[in-house]
């Protein structure tokens, strides 16, 4: 529990520190103008997610086919994986289980994403604002997708004891809302979007590890099948990358296109930790 809080707090501190050099990119905009501009960016990012398949090329369809084929292949591992993870979950400390569960809940997730955006808005820091926009747009796009998919597919959860191929299409019952994992999409979408802002592999790994806690916890508790979680991870990466690429390609935020005089990086080593600026 304490490790989770410390790593999350340190991640935000480093993020703020490494963003200082882009702080004055849009100072001429008022707070209300920034809110309207960022709101439009969120809307366009979500819209881009749902219209992107109409623009897919051969490579994109090949990736989609690979995800579908991979998910289908993993169906054979669903039941043995469920048995294995549920047994492991019996030994997991209650504190870790609670944190893992909460991190994938919409209330906490949106509290974190809006806090990042609010920080960027208050400080007029374009890089943090853009990250907040990416977080909110990705969580919204992924959240809507998983909500619709769960109801449409109506897959039975492991806890129903009906097997991994039991479906009740258009079911309103929570026991048949297994596919895909909503906790996985929300938690890893947040971790992946934040992790993309750093180059240091150790910091990225720590952030991604936090994002994976919630997906694994859903396997420990028997709430989801392995394929629910794996597909949720794939959706998270696709949604975040798609919106991030859209924001960069349309140049809605200028800090990615400006040559900075100083590049800040986190340095970790034997007995050393700190921020290093490269001229």
């Amino acid at each position: 529990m304490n490790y989770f809080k410390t790593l999350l707090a340190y991640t935000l501190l480093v993020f703020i520190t490494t963003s200082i050099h882009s702080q004055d990119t849009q100072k001429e905009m008022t707070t209300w103008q920034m809110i309207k501009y960022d709101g439009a960016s969120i809307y366009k990012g979500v819209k881009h997610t749902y219209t992107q398949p109409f623009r897919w090329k051969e490579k994109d369809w090949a990736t989609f086919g690979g995800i579908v084929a991979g998910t289908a292949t993993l169906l054979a591992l669903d039941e043995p994986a469920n048995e294995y993870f549920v047994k492991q979950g019996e030994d997991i400390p209650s504190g870790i289980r609670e944190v893992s569960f909460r991190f994938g809940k919409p209330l906490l997730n949106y509290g974190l994403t809006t806090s990042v955006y609010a920080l960027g808005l208050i400080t007029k820091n374009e890089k943090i604002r853009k990250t907040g926009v990416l977080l909110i747009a990705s969580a919204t796009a992924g959240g809507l997708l998983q909500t619709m998919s769960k109801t449409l597919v109506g897959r039975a959860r492991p806890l129903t004891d009906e097997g991994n191929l039991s479906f009740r299409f258009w079911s309103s019952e929570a026991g048949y809302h297994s596919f895909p994992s909503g906790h996985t999409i929300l938690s890893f979408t947040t971790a992946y979007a934040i992790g993309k802002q750093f180059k240091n592999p150790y910091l990225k790994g720590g952030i991604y590890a936090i994002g994976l806690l919630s997906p694994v916890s859903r396997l420990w508790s028997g709430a989801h099948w392995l394929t629910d979680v794996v597909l949720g991870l794939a959706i998270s990466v696709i949604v975040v990358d798609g919106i991030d690429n859209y924001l960069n390609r349309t140049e809605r935020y200028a800090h990615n296109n400006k040559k900075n005089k100083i590049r800040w990086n986190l340095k970790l080593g034997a007995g050393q930790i700190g921020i290093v600026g490269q001229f």
Side-chain angles (χ1 to χ4, degrees), residues 126-146:
E126 190 188 53
K127 182 176 181 180
I128 299 180
R129 278 177 46 226
K130 187 253 186 180
T131 302
V133 167
L134 176 62
L135 285 165
I136 296 173
S138 299
T140 301
L144 290 173
L145 181 60
Q146 64 89 17

Side-chain angles (χ1 to χ4, degrees), residues 19-29 34 120 123-129 254-255 258-261:
S19 299
I20 290 176
H21 63 273
S22 64
Q23 189 168 351
D24 59 354
T25 52
Q26 287 188 343
K27 274 190 175 180
E28 69 278 3
M29 295 179 68
M34 285 189 288
T123 61
K124 296 185 182 297
N125 187 305
E126 190 188 53
K127 182 176 181 180
I128 299 180
R129 278 177 46 226
H255 77 271
K258 298 186 72 174
K259 294 183 178 180
N260 302 306
K261 296 180 180 179

Side-chain angles (χ1 to χ4, degrees), residues 61-107:
W61 284 109
T63 300
F64 175 76
I67 293 174
V68 173
T71 302
T73 301
L74 286 176
L75 285 172
L77 299 177
D78 269 340
E79 296 193 6
N82 176 65
E83 183 178 349
Y84 171 79
F85 279 104
V86 169
K87 288 182 179 180
Q88 303 306 310
E90 297 173 358
D91 300 322
I92 303 300
S94 59
I96 294 179
R97 294 168 66 96
E98 181 68 14
V99 169
S100 302
F101 176 74
R102 295 295 179 187
F103 192 56
K105 295 290 286 183
L107 182 61

Side-chain angles (χ1 to χ4, degrees), residues 230-257:
V230 171
L231 183 62
L233 292 173
I235 291 174
S236 297
V237 172
I238 291 172
V239 169
V240 173
D241 280 345
I243 294 177
D244 192 38
N245 291 337
Y246 168 75
L247 294 176
N248 292 337
R249 187 177 68 253
T250 56
E251 300 184 358
R252 292 190 62 79
Y253 296 91
H255 77 271
N256 286 329
N257 305 306

Side-chain angles (χ1 to χ4, degrees), residues 4-5 8 12 95-113 135 139 182-194 206-215 217-218:
F4 174 85
K5 291 180 178 179
L8 183 59
L12 292 175
I96 294 179
R97 294 168 66 96
E98 181 68 14
V99 169
S100 302
F101 176 74
R102 295 295 179 187
F103 192 56
K105 295 290 286 183
L107 182 61
L108 189 150
N109 188 275
Y110 273 99
L112 174 61
T113 58
L135 285 165
H183 276 72
T184 296
I185 291 176
L186 282 181
S187 64
F188 199 70
T189 290
T190 300
Y192 187 61
I194 293 177
I207 296 171
Y208 293 161
I210 291 176
L212 288 172
L213 280 175
S214 190
S217 76
R218 305 307 283 160

